[in-house]
Every structure is written in structure tokens, then in C-alpha cells.
Amino acid sequence: MKTRITELFGIEHPIIQGGMHFVGLAELASAVANAGGLGMITALTQRTPENLRKEVARCREMTDKPFGVNLTFLPSVTPPDYPGFIQAIIESGVKIVETAGNNPQKYMPDLKAAGVKVIHKCTSVRHALKAESIGCDAISVDGFECGGHPGEDDVPNMILLPRAAEELKVPFVASGGMGDARSLVAALALGADGMNMGTRFIATVEAPVHEKVKQAIVAASELDTRLVMRPLRNTERVLDNPGVEKVLAKEREMGAAIKFEDIAPLVAGLYPRVMQNGELDAGPWSCGMVAGLIHDVPTVKDLIGRIMHEAEQIIRGRLVGMLDGVVPG
């Protein structure tokens, strides 16, 4: 399957692995790359630019296929060494970067001068158009269904993707609610050039997370996520658990007066505890509504192979069959 995304990034299949804290390590990024998709190392999991250099080198030992680095720009009292991370990416020879969060404009000249292709994650068409205008090569359009930060507009992908297709000139992928062949075919039909999967890739053999995390996603339904930090306009979709309920109770108790400091003890520093130690109930951790469509923990190769095989069956069989007058069973 060739799309503008496969051509842009030099990959076999139009499937991108999203950047995920304490998930996007070399093991997963290389597995996705080897299976023909675009794997992503999550920069901020690496703490320092030097650690990121080492992780990129480690990934190169596992694959000779294209992979990228996710760098999320977050508002912070003590921000990470973003210039250092940019330099580490460039000096490591990485040619694909997924940016997310705040506007990456100040770093675009250095990235473009180094021949780096940039895909920026956006939760609205207006932000996508801004990303296009500053020179981003592609957009990851993130619908309300997504795990992590869905923005504040609450527009699902059935509307957001065709709106993006109406407005954007650069290629874009669908993110949020993406998990199988049906997701891919639907995304293509709505105007996208591929899809980005996050939660689905956590529930794979190669994902370097605790087995309890994978099984929690398999066991979850589409009704088991919650939105936290909505009063702070920093909404995050997470898997429901007792720690999440404590955060929601605090938000209800304090109402509009709440500040991040009021919930910081309930949300800070959780990802190593959850992803590495399997402390599922420690607090909020990102998970998309697509959990309701996840029923197994395959290898990455089997997952991507299955998606592409079934996508072809849907397109050639079910959809073309309808045009030929065949009523699907």
C-alpha cells in the first residue's frame, strides 16, 4: 500500500507508532520499523540528551529501517533541555521527528537545515494549519478518542479527519481510536494517508512495559477511560482506576479554583511505577478508548501483518464487492 505518508518517510506500511512515555523505547520502535511501520523513540523518557543519543544508537543495533523520535513540548516550571534534545536528534542522524504539545517553530530552522522531516501532532484543524504554515512536512490529527491529551475541542475523528482533508495540503495521519484494519481503511476513506497507533502498540509482545499493563488494556472496554485535568485545560484521557478517581474527586471538590499543584502529588512521577513496576492503580496513565477493540497481545510483526492483510480484504472484498452488487454477509 502506497500513500503520501509511506513515500514521505520511506516506510512499507502507512502505520506510525505514537510517542508514549516509558513505552517508546528502542525495543518497540525497532520492532515497528522492522515490521514496515514507523517506530518512534520517546525523547523525554530519556531524561537527558546524552541518554537519547544512547537510545537511538541502541535502536540502530536492532533495525536498519527508518525510525523517528517523538519530542513533546510541555509547559513546565523547569523545562527539559529542549535545545539539547534537538541537537542530539540532529547529531544522531535521525531524519524523522514527531513533535507534539507547544508550537515547535523555534526549532524548525535547525531541523530543516539537517534534513529532518517533521510530523506535528494536532487536536484541531486550526493548529494543523499553523503547523503546515511553519513548514511541518506532515500532521498527526488527534481525535477526541485518543489516549493522552485530546485537546479541549472534543471533536471525534469522524468529523476531524474530513475537516483536515478539506483544509490541509500536506499529508496527515489519523490518531486516536486507531487499532485495526477497520481503523486504517476508515482513516483512508476520511482523507488521511495512514494512521498513528498508541494504545494498540502497548498491548504487544515487544512493548517494554509490565505484563499487567498489557492485560489491563486487553480487559478494558471502550467505557473504561476517564478525562482528568479538564478544569486545568490540560485534559488527559486515562484508564480508570482508584488513583484516577482520587484525582476526579479532588477536581470536583475544588471546582474552578483548582491549580495543578493541588493534584500534583496524585499525578507526578507515575509512569515508571505503572509501566515498569505494574502498579496499575497508582494514578492516571494514558489509554485510549480503542482499548475496547484490543483483545490480544500479538507480536508487532503479527499485528501489522494482520492489519495490512485485513485492510486489503476489506477494500478488495467488502467495498469493491458492494460496487459489484455483492451484498456483504
Side-chain angles (χ1 to χ4, degrees):
M1 185 183 288
K2 290 188 183 299
T3 73
R4 292 190 297 170
I5 284 293
T6 62
E7 298 298 290
L8 178 65
F9 294 132
I11 55 179
E12 184 180 356
H13 306 305
I15 297 174
I16 298 176
Q17 167 234 320
M20 295 171 284
H21 208 29
F22 284 88
V23 182
L25 302 179
E27 290 85 353
L28 181 57
S30 63
V32 174
N34 286 331
L38 182 61
M40 287 283 176
I41 292 172
T42 304
L44 295 188
T45 299
Q46 295 304 317
R47 303 291 185 189
T48 68
E50 184 54 36
N51 285 353
L52 177 59
R53 284 187 178 90
K54 293 176 181 176
E55 194 68 7
V56 169
R58 202 164 71 88
C59 194
R60 284 224 171 88
E61 293 174 356
M62 303 181 197
T63 185
D64 59 359
K65 302 287 183 64
F67 64 89
V69 169
N70 163 276
L71 186 55
T72 301
F73 299 102
L74 298 170
S76 175
V77 177
T78 54
D81 180 10
Y82 286 119
F85 279 116
I86 294 291
Q87 279 307 113
I89 288 167
I90 292 170
E91 291 169 6
S92 297
V94 173
K95 294 302 180 184
I96 302 167
V97 168
E98 179 191 57
T99 55
N102 291 340
N103 189 331
Q105 185 167 8
K106 64 192 287 188
Y107 302 107
M108 290 296 290
D110 288 344
L111 291 170
K112 302 309 285 186
V116 176
K117 293 183 173 67
V118 178
I119 178 169
H120 186 62
K121 180 164 283 192
C122 301
T123 60
S124 70
V125 173
R126 65 185 182 280
H127 292 150
L129 286 169
K130 178 63 176 178
E132 182 180 72
S133 75
I134 65 172
C136 290
D137 300 278
I139 308 295
S140 181
V141 176
D142 222 7
F144 184 55
E145 308 93 326
C146 72
H149 297 278
E152 308 302 322
D153 293 344
D154 300 359
V155 181
N157 268 329
M158 282 293 287
I159 307 301
L160 192 58
L161 296 176
R163 278 290 295 122
E166 288 178 352
E167 301 284 351
L168 293 174
K169 296 180 178 65
V170 297
F172 68 95
V173 296
S175 182
M178 301 291 117
D180 59 19
R182 295 167 297 184
S183 310
L184 177 57
V185 174
L188 296 172
L190 292 171
D193 300 280
M195 69 177 178
N196 177 303
M197 299 194 304
T199 302
R200 172 67 269 199
F201 275 127
I202 301 178
T204 58
V205 171
E206 293 89 345
V209 303
H210 199 284
E211 186 64 25
K212 286 183 179 179
V213 175
K214 301 177 187 184
Q215 293 306 321
I217 291 171
V218 171
S221 82
E222 65 276 16
L223 304 176
D224 290 327
T225 67
R226 298 290 181 269
L227 299 174
V228 297
M229 296 191 287
R230 176 130 277 199
L232 301 171
R233 294 189 64 77
N234 187 29
T235 302
E236 182 177 6
R237 185 178 298 282
V238 298
L239 191 66
D240 195 18
N241 63 53
V244 169
E245 293 303 323
K246 289 179 183 177
V247 174
L248 293 174
K250 190 75 171 178
E251 291 177 355
R252 287 192 296 269
E253 174 191 336
M254 300 197 68
I258 198 166
K259 297 178 180 177
F260 180 73
E261 301 80 65
D262 299 316
I263 60 169
L266 301 174
V267 302
L270 292 176
Y271 275 80
R273 293 172 58 192
V274 175
M275 297 300 170
Q276 295 175 347
N277 302 337
E279 298 177 38
L280 299 181
D281 296 340
W285 51 279
S286 295
C287 179
M289 297 174 81
V290 74
L293 299 176
I294 297 173
H295 309 302
D296 61 355
V297 183
T299 65
V300 167
K301 181 179 179 180
D302 286 346
L303 174 62
I304 291 180
R306 181 170 75 198
I307 288 172
M308 297 312 301
H309 175 69
E310 291 179 0
E312 183 172 349
Q313 287 184 317
I314 293 169
I315 295 167
R316 292 189 189 277
R318 189 168 195 270
L319 300 183
V320 172
M322 288 177 178
L323 292 177
D324 293 338
V326 179
V327 179

